[in-house]
Amino acid sequence: MKRVEMTERPDWKADAEVCGFTIHSIYGERYWDERHAYEFTLTEIEEELEAPSEELMSMCYRAVDHISADRGLMRRMAIPDDYHDAVSASWKRRDYDLYGRFDLAFDGNGPAKLLEFNADTPTSLFESAVFQWRWLEDMKSRGHLPATADQFNSIHERLINALRSVKTWLGRMHFAGILDSEEDLVTIDYLMDCATQAGWRTTRIDMRQVGVDADHWFRDLRRRRIKRLFKLYPLESMVREPFGHHLPLTSTRIMEPLWKLTLSNKGLLPVLWEIFPDHPNLLPAYFEDDPRARRLGDAHARKPLLSREGANVTLVRGGENAYSVEGPYGEEGYVVQALHMLPRFGDDWAVIGSWIVAGKSAGIGIREDDTPVTKNSSRFVPHYILGA
Protein backbone atom coordinates (compact mmCIF):
# COMPACT_ATOMS: atom_id res chain seq x y z
CA MET A 1 0.00 0.00 0.00
CA LYS A 2 1.34 3.40 -0.95
CA ARG A 3 0.09 6.87 -1.75
CA VAL A 4 0.89 7.99 -5.27
CA GLU A 5 0.78 11.52 -6.67
CA MET A 6 -1.69 11.73 -9.56
CA THR A 7 -2.64 14.14 -12.31
CA GLU A 8 -5.88 15.83 -11.34
CA ARG A 9 -8.39 15.85 -14.18
CA PRO A 10 -9.20 19.45 -15.16
CA ASP A 11 -12.87 18.57 -15.67
CA TRP A 12 -13.44 16.43 -12.59
CA LYS A 13 -15.96 18.83 -11.03
CA ALA A 14 -18.06 18.88 -14.18
CA ASP A 15 -17.90 15.08 -14.29
CA ALA A 16 -19.05 14.92 -10.66
CA GLU A 17 -22.01 17.19 -11.35
CA VAL A 18 -23.04 15.20 -14.43
CA CYS A 19 -23.34 11.95 -12.48
CA GLY A 20 -25.06 13.48 -9.45
CA PHE A 21 -22.08 13.66 -7.09
CA THR A 22 -23.05 17.11 -5.84
CA ILE A 23 -21.18 16.84 -2.53
CA HIS A 24 -17.74 16.81 -4.18
CA SER A 25 -17.02 19.93 -2.10
CA ILE A 26 -18.15 20.54 1.50
CA TYR A 27 -18.05 23.81 3.43
CA GLY A 28 -16.21 25.42 0.53
CA GLU A 29 -13.42 22.82 0.66
CA ARG A 30 -12.77 19.85 -1.55
CA TYR A 31 -14.26 16.59 -0.33
CA TRP A 32 -13.32 14.51 -3.37
CA ASP A 33 -9.52 14.64 -3.74
CA GLU A 34 -7.84 13.01 -6.74
CA ARG A 35 -4.50 14.81 -6.46
CA HIS A 36 -3.18 11.48 -5.25
CA ALA A 37 -4.49 7.92 -4.93
CA TYR A 38 -3.69 4.79 -2.96
CA GLU A 39 -2.11 1.85 -4.72
CA PHE A 40 -2.57 -1.70 -3.44
CA THR A 41 -1.42 -5.10 -4.57
CA LEU A 42 -3.99 -7.80 -5.23
CA THR A 43 -2.59 -9.83 -2.32
CA GLU A 44 -3.10 -6.91 0.06
CA ILE A 45 -6.69 -6.55 -1.05
CA GLU A 46 -7.64 -10.22 -1.01
CA GLU A 47 -5.73 -11.37 2.06
CA GLU A 48 -5.43 -8.26 4.26
CA LEU A 49 -8.73 -6.46 3.62
CA GLU A 50 -11.36 -8.59 1.87
CA ALA A 51 -10.93 -11.84 3.83
CA PRO A 52 -10.60 -10.15 7.25
CA SER A 53 -13.67 -8.00 6.54
CA GLU A 54 -15.77 -11.06 5.86
CA GLU A 55 -14.44 -12.69 9.01
CA LEU A 56 -15.21 -9.56 11.02
CA MET A 57 -18.78 -9.57 9.71
CA SER A 58 -19.17 -13.21 10.73
CA MET A 59 -17.86 -12.26 14.18
CA CYS A 60 -20.37 -9.40 14.36
CA TYR A 61 -23.22 -11.82 13.69
CA ARG A 62 -21.91 -13.93 16.58
CA ALA A 63 -21.91 -10.79 18.70
CA VAL A 64 -25.57 -10.11 17.84
CA ASP A 65 -26.41 -13.61 19.09
CA HIS A 66 -24.62 -12.81 22.33
CA ILE A 67 -25.97 -9.30 22.89
CA SER A 68 -29.59 -9.96 21.90
CA ALA A 69 -29.80 -12.77 24.48
CA ASP A 70 -28.46 -10.65 27.34
CA ARG A 71 -30.72 -7.89 28.69
CA GLY A 72 -28.03 -6.66 31.06
CA LEU A 73 -25.62 -6.22 28.20
CA MET A 74 -28.22 -4.43 26.07
CA ARG A 75 -28.86 -2.10 29.00
CA ARG A 76 -25.11 -1.50 29.35
CA MET A 77 -25.04 -0.58 25.66
CA ALA A 78 -27.80 2.00 26.26
CA ILE A 79 -30.39 0.10 24.22
CA PRO A 80 -33.68 1.19 25.86
CA ASP A 81 -35.43 -1.49 27.91
CA ASP A 82 -38.64 -1.18 25.90
CA TYR A 83 -36.79 -2.45 22.81
CA HIS A 84 -34.99 -5.49 24.20
CA ASP A 85 -37.69 -7.97 23.18
CA ALA A 86 -38.07 -6.32 19.79
CA VAL A 87 -34.31 -6.48 19.12
CA SER A 88 -34.28 -10.18 20.02
CA ALA A 89 -37.34 -10.89 17.87
CA SER A 90 -35.87 -8.99 14.93
CA TRP A 91 -32.70 -11.06 15.14
CA LYS A 92 -34.59 -14.36 15.49
CA ARG A 93 -36.54 -13.47 12.34
CA ARG A 94 -33.23 -12.57 10.67
CA ASP A 95 -34.74 -9.30 9.44
CA TYR A 96 -32.81 -8.31 6.34
CA ASP A 97 -29.74 -6.10 6.69
CA LEU A 98 -28.45 -4.31 3.60
CA TYR A 99 -25.04 -2.78 4.19
CA GLY A 100 -22.45 -1.35 6.57
CA ARG A 101 -18.87 -0.12 6.70
CA PHE A 102 -15.94 -1.16 8.85
CA ASP A 103 -13.39 1.56 9.58
CA LEU A 104 -9.97 -0.07 9.46
CA ALA A 105 -6.44 1.09 10.21
CA PHE A 106 -4.09 -0.48 7.67
CA ASP A 107 -0.84 0.53 6.00
CA GLY A 108 0.32 -2.72 4.40
CA ASN A 109 2.46 -3.68 7.38
CA GLY A 110 0.67 -6.01 9.75
CA PRO A 111 -3.02 -6.91 10.01
CA ALA A 112 -5.81 -4.38 9.54
CA LYS A 113 -7.28 -3.25 12.86
CA LEU A 114 -10.98 -2.61 13.41
CA LEU A 115 -11.59 0.87 14.80
CA GLU A 116 -15.39 0.78 14.63
CA PHE A 117 -18.33 -0.51 12.62
CA ASN A 118 -20.71 1.92 10.90
CA ALA A 119 -23.53 -0.60 10.82
CA ASP A 120 -26.47 1.77 10.38
CA THR A 121 -26.75 4.70 7.93
CA PRO A 122 -23.14 4.90 6.71
CA THR A 123 -22.63 7.47 3.98
CA SER A 124 -19.73 7.98 1.48
CA LEU A 125 -21.49 5.19 -0.41
CA PHE A 126 -21.95 6.80 -3.84
CA GLU A 127 -18.37 8.00 -4.08
CA SER A 128 -17.12 4.54 -3.07
CA ALA A 129 -19.39 2.59 -5.40
CA VAL A 130 -19.63 4.86 -8.44
CA PHE A 131 -17.44 7.93 -8.64
CA GLN A 132 -14.10 6.36 -7.78
CA TRP A 133 -14.79 3.62 -10.35
CA ARG A 134 -15.63 6.34 -12.87
CA TRP A 135 -12.31 7.99 -11.95
CA LEU A 136 -10.40 4.73 -12.51
CA GLU A 137 -11.88 4.13 -15.96
CA ASP A 138 -11.27 7.73 -16.98
CA MET A 139 -7.68 7.68 -15.74
CA LYS A 140 -7.01 4.50 -17.73
CA SER A 141 -8.56 5.95 -20.88
CA ARG A 142 -6.41 9.09 -20.53
CA GLY A 143 -3.25 6.99 -20.11
CA HIS A 144 -2.61 8.12 -16.52
CA LEU A 145 -2.99 4.56 -15.22
CA PRO A 146 -2.11 1.25 -16.91
CA ALA A 147 -4.92 -0.61 -18.66
CA THR A 148 -4.33 -3.46 -16.18
CA ALA A 149 -5.18 -1.29 -13.15
CA ASP A 150 -8.19 -2.53 -11.20
CA GLN A 151 -10.14 -1.53 -8.09
CA PHE A 152 -11.64 -3.40 -5.15
CA ASN A 153 -15.18 -2.34 -5.89
CA SER A 154 -18.19 -4.57 -6.45
CA ILE A 155 -20.41 -2.41 -4.26
CA HIS A 156 -22.83 -1.35 -6.99
CA GLU A 157 -23.46 -4.84 -8.32
CA ARG A 158 -23.79 -6.32 -4.85
CA LEU A 159 -26.30 -3.67 -3.78
CA ILE A 160 -28.48 -4.40 -6.80
CA ASN A 161 -28.28 -8.15 -6.21
CA ALA A 162 -29.04 -7.71 -2.50
CA LEU A 163 -32.07 -5.53 -3.22
CA ARG A 164 -33.22 -7.95 -5.90
CA SER A 165 -33.06 -10.83 -3.42
CA VAL A 166 -35.84 -9.29 -1.30
CA LYS A 167 -37.99 -8.15 -4.23
CA THR A 168 -40.35 -11.11 -4.00
CA TRP A 169 -41.52 -9.92 -0.60
CA LEU A 170 -43.07 -6.59 -1.62
CA GLY A 171 -43.26 -4.45 -4.76
CA ARG A 172 -42.63 -0.91 -3.50
CA MET A 173 -39.81 0.35 -1.33
CA HIS A 174 -39.88 3.74 0.37
CA PHE A 175 -36.63 5.58 1.05
CA ALA A 176 -36.62 8.06 3.92
CA GLY A 177 -34.09 10.47 5.36
CA ILE A 178 -33.53 14.11 6.17
CA LEU A 179 -33.84 15.34 2.61
CA ASP A 180 -32.51 18.84 3.21
CA SER A 181 -29.16 17.19 3.99
CA GLU A 182 -27.35 17.05 0.64
CA GLU A 183 -25.18 14.15 1.80
CA ASP A 184 -28.22 12.10 2.80
CA LEU A 185 -30.03 13.00 -0.42
CA VAL A 186 -27.13 11.80 -2.58
CA THR A 187 -27.03 8.49 -0.69
CA ILE A 188 -30.81 7.98 -0.81
CA ASP A 189 -31.05 8.81 -4.51
CA TYR A 190 -28.24 6.38 -5.26
CA LEU A 191 -29.87 3.56 -3.29
CA MET A 192 -33.19 4.28 -5.01
CA ASP A 193 -31.46 3.92 -8.36
CA CYS A 194 -30.01 0.56 -7.25
CA ALA A 195 -33.47 -0.55 -6.10
CA THR A 196 -35.02 0.50 -9.41
CA GLN A 197 -32.41 -1.54 -11.27
CA ALA A 198 -33.28 -4.45 -8.98
CA GLY A 199 -36.93 -4.22 -10.02
CA TRP A 200 -38.51 -2.26 -7.16
CA ARG A 201 -40.94 0.62 -7.50
CA THR A 202 -39.52 3.39 -5.32
CA THR A 203 -40.81 6.40 -3.41
CA ARG A 204 -38.72 9.03 -1.61
CA ILE A 205 -40.04 10.69 1.53
CA ASP A 206 -38.63 12.94 4.22
CA MET A 207 -38.31 11.07 7.50
CA ARG A 208 -40.24 13.84 9.24
CA GLN A 209 -43.22 13.19 6.97
CA VAL A 210 -43.57 9.47 7.69
CA GLY A 211 -46.92 8.88 9.39
CA VAL A 212 -48.31 6.00 11.44
CA ASP A 213 -51.84 4.58 11.41
CA ALA A 214 -53.87 2.98 14.19
CA ASP A 215 -52.46 -0.43 13.31
CA HIS A 216 -48.88 0.89 13.59
CA TRP A 217 -48.22 0.68 9.84
CA PHE A 218 -45.99 3.50 8.63
CA ARG A 219 -47.67 5.60 5.94
CA ASP A 220 -46.50 8.03 3.28
CA LEU A 221 -47.96 11.42 2.27
CA ARG A 222 -50.54 9.69 0.06
CA ARG A 223 -51.55 7.64 3.12
CA ARG A 224 -50.31 4.44 1.51
CA ARG A 225 -49.02 1.81 3.85
CA ILE A 226 -45.25 1.60 3.73
CA LYS A 227 -44.55 -2.09 3.45
CA ARG A 228 -40.78 -1.88 2.98
CA LEU A 229 -38.79 1.12 4.30
CA PHE A 230 -35.14 1.95 3.94
CA LYS A 231 -34.35 4.74 6.39
CA LEU A 232 -31.17 6.76 6.33
CA TYR A 233 -31.84 7.81 9.89
CA PRO A 234 -30.15 6.42 13.00
CA LEU A 235 -31.94 3.68 14.87
CA GLU A 236 -30.57 5.01 18.17
CA SER A 237 -32.35 8.30 17.44
CA MET A 238 -35.59 6.66 16.33
CA VAL A 239 -35.98 4.64 19.53
CA ARG A 240 -35.65 7.81 21.62
CA GLU A 241 -38.35 9.74 19.78
CA PRO A 242 -42.16 9.49 20.18
CA PHE A 243 -42.27 7.97 16.70
CA GLY A 244 -40.09 5.12 17.90
CA HIS A 245 -42.55 3.33 20.14
CA HIS A 246 -44.27 2.05 17.00
CA LEU A 247 -41.11 0.23 15.88
CA PRO A 248 -41.67 -2.97 17.90
CA LEU A 249 -45.32 -3.07 16.78
CA THR A 250 -45.23 -2.12 13.11
CA SER A 251 -45.63 -4.59 10.25
CA THR A 252 -43.52 -2.27 8.06
CA ARG A 253 -40.25 -4.04 7.26
CA ILE A 254 -37.35 -1.69 7.94
CA MET A 255 -33.76 -1.62 6.75
CA GLU A 256 -31.61 -1.45 8.68
CA PRO A 257 -33.48 -3.73 11.12
CA LEU A 258 -33.86 -3.25 14.86
CA TRP A 259 -31.26 -5.88 15.66
CA LYS A 260 -28.62 -3.53 14.25
CA LEU A 261 -28.95 -1.52 17.45
CA THR A 262 -26.47 -4.08 18.76
CA LEU A 263 -23.90 -3.27 16.06
CA SER A 264 -24.33 0.48 15.53
CA ASN A 265 -22.91 1.03 18.98
CA LYS A 266 -19.32 1.32 20.21
CA GLY A 267 -20.27 -1.19 22.90
CA LEU A 268 -19.78 -3.75 20.14
CA LEU A 269 -16.00 -3.26 20.45
CA PRO A 270 -15.61 -4.65 24.01
CA VAL A 271 -18.13 -7.40 23.21
CA LEU A 272 -16.06 -8.53 20.23
CA TRP A 273 -12.89 -8.45 22.32
CA GLU A 274 -14.61 -10.51 25.04
CA ILE A 275 -15.76 -13.17 22.56
CA PHE A 276 -12.65 -13.16 20.34
CA PRO A 277 -9.72 -12.15 22.60
CA ASP A 278 -6.41 -11.53 20.84
CA HIS A 279 -7.92 -11.74 17.38
CA PRO A 280 -5.39 -10.16 15.00
CA ASN A 281 -7.93 -7.72 13.51
CA LEU A 282 -9.26 -6.50 16.86
CA LEU A 283 -7.92 -4.05 19.41
CA PRO A 284 -8.37 -4.56 23.17
CA ALA A 285 -11.50 -2.68 24.23
CA TYR A 286 -13.59 -2.38 27.39
CA PHE A 287 -16.56 -0.48 28.73
CA GLU A 288 -15.08 2.51 30.52
CA ASP A 289 -16.44 1.43 33.92
CA ASP A 290 -14.94 -2.08 33.58
CA PRO A 291 -11.96 -2.46 35.98
CA ARG A 292 -10.13 -4.28 33.19
CA ALA A 293 -9.99 -1.01 31.28
CA ARG A 294 -6.94 -0.17 33.39
CA ARG A 295 -5.04 -2.76 31.35
CA LEU A 296 -4.87 -0.23 28.52
CA GLY A 297 -2.64 2.01 30.61
CA ASP A 298 -2.08 5.59 29.59
CA ALA A 299 -2.66 5.14 25.83
CA HIS A 300 -6.18 4.60 24.55
CA ALA A 301 -9.04 6.04 22.54
CA ARG A 302 -12.14 7.07 24.49
CA LYS A 303 -15.32 6.76 22.40
CA PRO A 304 -18.99 7.39 23.23
CA LEU A 305 -21.32 4.43 22.93
CA LEU A 306 -23.40 6.45 20.48
CA SER A 307 -21.57 8.93 18.25
CA ARG A 308 -20.93 9.69 14.61
CA GLU A 309 -18.26 11.25 12.42
CA GLY A 310 -15.61 11.18 15.17
CA ALA A 311 -17.60 13.45 17.53
CA ASN A 312 -16.57 13.35 21.21
CA VAL A 313 -13.67 10.96 20.53
CA THR A 314 -10.56 11.58 22.63
CA LEU A 315 -7.13 10.10 21.98
CA VAL A 316 -5.13 9.68 25.18
CA ARG A 317 -1.35 9.24 25.07
CA GLY A 318 1.00 9.34 28.03
CA GLY A 319 -2.01 9.89 30.25
CA GLU A 320 -2.76 13.20 28.52
CA ASN A 321 -5.44 14.11 26.01
CA ALA A 322 -3.45 14.18 22.78
CA TYR A 323 -6.40 15.00 20.53
CA SER A 324 -10.15 15.36 20.96
CA VAL A 325 -13.20 16.27 18.92
CA GLU A 326 -16.12 18.21 20.34
CA GLY A 327 -19.70 17.11 19.88
CA PRO A 328 -23.08 16.38 21.45
CA TYR A 329 -22.54 12.72 22.40
CA GLY A 330 -21.46 10.82 25.49
CA GLU A 331 -24.42 10.97 27.84
CA GLU A 332 -25.05 7.23 27.48
CA GLY A 333 -21.49 6.22 28.39
CA TYR A 334 -18.13 5.41 26.84
CA VAL A 335 -15.84 2.61 25.82
CA VAL A 336 -12.07 2.69 25.77
CA GLN A 337 -10.01 1.00 23.08
CA ALA A 338 -6.26 0.44 22.85
CA LEU A 339 -4.70 3.35 20.99
CA HIS A 340 -3.81 2.43 17.43
CA MET A 341 -3.09 5.48 15.34
CA LEU A 342 -4.15 5.67 11.73
CA PRO A 343 -1.27 5.42 9.26
CA ARG A 344 0.08 8.76 8.11
CA PHE A 345 0.97 9.48 4.50
CA GLY A 346 2.63 12.84 4.11
CA ASP A 347 0.62 15.21 6.30
CA ASP A 348 -2.57 13.15 6.14
CA TRP A 349 -4.03 10.36 8.27
CA ALA A 350 -5.87 7.71 6.24
CA VAL A 351 -8.68 5.35 7.24
CA ILE A 352 -9.98 2.52 5.07
CA GLY A 353 -13.74 2.10 4.92
CA SER A 354 -14.42 -1.56 4.12
CA TRP A 355 -17.92 -2.01 2.74
CA ILE A 356 -20.14 -4.97 3.59
CA VAL A 357 -23.22 -5.66 1.47
CA ALA A 358 -25.64 -8.41 2.52
CA GLY A 359 -22.96 -9.83 4.80
CA LYS A 360 -20.20 -9.97 2.17
CA SER A 361 -17.13 -7.83 1.60
CA ALA A 362 -17.78 -5.54 -1.38
CA GLY A 363 -15.06 -2.90 -1.72
CA ILE A 364 -13.27 -0.04 -0.01
CA GLY A 365 -13.23 3.73 0.17
CA ILE A 366 -10.46 5.80 1.74
CA ARG A 367 -10.84 9.00 3.76
CA GLU A 368 -8.03 11.37 4.70
CA ASP A 369 -7.76 14.08 7.32
CA ASP A 370 -5.01 16.35 8.59
CA THR A 371 -5.96 15.18 12.09
CA PRO A 372 -5.86 11.61 13.47
CA VAL A 373 -9.66 11.38 13.83
CA THR A 374 -11.84 11.02 10.73
CA LYS A 375 -14.73 13.52 10.61
CA ASN A 376 -17.51 14.45 8.18
CA SER A 377 -15.16 16.99 6.57
CA SER A 378 -12.45 14.39 5.86
CA ARG A 379 -11.55 14.03 2.19
CA PHE A 380 -12.33 11.02 0.01
CA VAL A 381 -9.38 9.69 -2.01
CA PRO A 382 -9.65 6.98 -4.73
CA HIS A 383 -7.62 3.79 -4.92
CA TYR A 384 -6.49 1.24 -7.48
CA ILE A 385 -4.90 -2.22 -7.60
CA LEU A 386 -1.70 -2.86 -9.52
CA GLY A 387 0.36 -6.02 -9.37
CA ALA A 388 -0.03 -9.28 -7.53
Side-chain angles (χ1 to χ4, degrees):
M1 177 184 177
K2 60 184 178 181
R3 189 169 81 163
V4 179
E5 297 298 316
M6 304 297 292
T7 301
E8 185 178 40
R9 297 170 297 161
D11 57 348
W12 72 265
K13 284 188 180 180
D15 186 42
E17 294 285 346
V18 164
C19 68
F21 184 34
T22 56
I23 55 169
H24 55 72
S25 302
I26 300 176
Y27 310 126
E29 302 290 337
R30 68 170 70 223
Y31 166 61
W32 171 265
D33 191 352
E34 61 179 60
R35 294 172 295 180
H36 50 263
Y38 284 85
E39 181 182 307
F40 294 85
T41 66
L42 184 60
T43 298
E44 285 176 321
I45 292 293
E46 291 182 341
E47 298 182 9
E48 302 297 333
L49 294 174
E50 183 177 17
S53 293
E54 295 220 349
E55 185 175 359
L56 284 169
M57 193 65 238
S58 177
M59 292 159 60
C60 284
Y61 289 142
R62 282 275 306 278
V64 182
D65 263 332
H66 182 70
I67 298 166
S68 64
D70 187 333
R71 290 177 178 272
L73 185 51
M74 283 195 275
R75 191 170 294 116
R76 197 173 195 185
M77 294 175 68
I79 298 172
D81 288 0
D82 291 346
Y83 292 88
H84 292 181
D85 288 342
V87 167
S88 298
S90 174
W91 177 240
K92 288 176 182 176
R93 288 193 305 266
R94 294 301 191 267
D95 288 345
Y96 197 81
D97 63 314
L98 183 60
Y99 78 111
R101 190 191 73 233
F102 292 118
D103 282 352
L104 305 176
F106 178 73
D107 64 359
N109 300 299
K113 297 292 186 180
L114 175 64
L115 301 178
E116 61 182 71
F117 186 24
N118 302 274
D120 181 36
T121 74
T123 51
S124 78
L125 182 64
F126 179 83
E127 48 270 42
S128 296
V130 177
F131 199 65
Q132 70 167 338
W133 180 261
R134 195 175 173 101
W135 166 87
L136 175 73
E137 293 299 295
D138 200 7
M139 292 295 280
K140 290 197 293 185
S141 69
R142 296 177 190 227
H144 297 316
L145 281 174
T148 55
D150 201 356
Q151 193 173 89
F152 180 30
N153 191 354
S154 61
I155 303 166
H156 184 70
E157 296 79 9
R158 287 184 180 273
L159 282 170
I160 293 171
N161 288 336
L163 288 162
R164 185 178 292 125
S165 73
V166 296
K167 182 182 181 301
T168 54
W169 296 6
L170 302 164
R172 179 177 298 276
M173 185 180 294
H174 286 69
F175 290 79
I178 304 303
L179 300 185
D180 51 13
S181 163
E182 189 70 19
E183 183 181 25
D184 285 10
L185 187 59
V186 167
T187 303
I188 287 171
D189 282 350
Y190 171 58
L191 285 168
M192 286 178 65
D193 180 64
C194 291
T196 299
Q197 292 185 57
W200 287 86
R201 300 191 305 277
T202 60
T203 298
R204 187 176 68 195
I205 185 171
D206 193 285
M207 195 71 207
R208 294 163 291 195
Q209 296 175 325
V210 175
V212 186
D213 67 19
D215 297 318
H216 306 286
W217 279 95
F218 296 163
R219 289 187 178 266
D220 64 17
L221 291 174
R222 295 173 59 183
R223 299 200 55 77
R224 291 179 299 196
R225 282 183 171 178
I226 298 175
K227 296 181 179 179
R228 168 66 65 176
L229 175 67
F230 175 88
K231 46 87 246 113
L232 196 70
Y233 193 78
L235 282 168
E236 67 264 24
S237 297
M238 292 177 74
V239 299
R240 287 168 172 80
E241 296 171 358
F243 177 85
H245 80 269
H246 297 280
L247 287 168
L249 304 170
T250 187
S251 296
T252 298
R253 296 296 184 91
I254 300 173
M255 292 189 296
E256 301 297 326
L258 271 175
W259 61 259
K260 272 207 168 179
L261 281 167
T262 65
L263 299 183
S264 60
N265 185 306
K266 304 300 188 300
L268 171 68
L269 300 172
V271 172
L272 286 173
W273 186 250
E274 180 80 23
I275 301 173
F276 305 100
D278 301 317
H279 190 281
N281 297 117
L282 297 179
L283 294 167
Y286 304 94
F287 291 98
E288 188 176 48
D289 60 359
D290 187 330
R292 294 175 296 175
R294 291 193 294 267
R295 296 175 183 177
L296 301 182
D298 60 3
H300 59 267
R302 183 175 187 251
K303 302 178 178 182
L305 288 173
L306 306 176
S307 72
R308 291 169 180 269
E309 303 289 0
N312 298 97
V313 170
T314 298
L315 305 183
V316 177
R317 178 183 281 165
E320 303 289 335
N321 289 355
Y323 185 79
S324 62
V325 181
E326 294 183 353
Y329 304 103
E331 180 181 348
E332 295 81 8
Y334 286 81
V335 302
V336 289
Q337 183 184 50
L339 187 64
H340 186 94
M341 300 297 288
L342 290 172
R344 199 170 190 183
F345 296 85
D347 294 328
D348 300 305
W349 308 80
V351 66
I352 294 177
S354 182
W355 291 96
I356 301 293
V357 178
K360 300 296 183 181
S361 181
I364 61 171
I366 300 172
R367 302 280 298 279
E368 284 187 344
D369 203 285
D370 55 6
T371 75
V373 176
T374 308
K375 302 179 289 294
N376 65 346
S377 58
S378 301
R379 300 173 299 280
F380 189 100
V381 180
H383 79 279
Y384 61 93
I385 303 168
L386 202 59

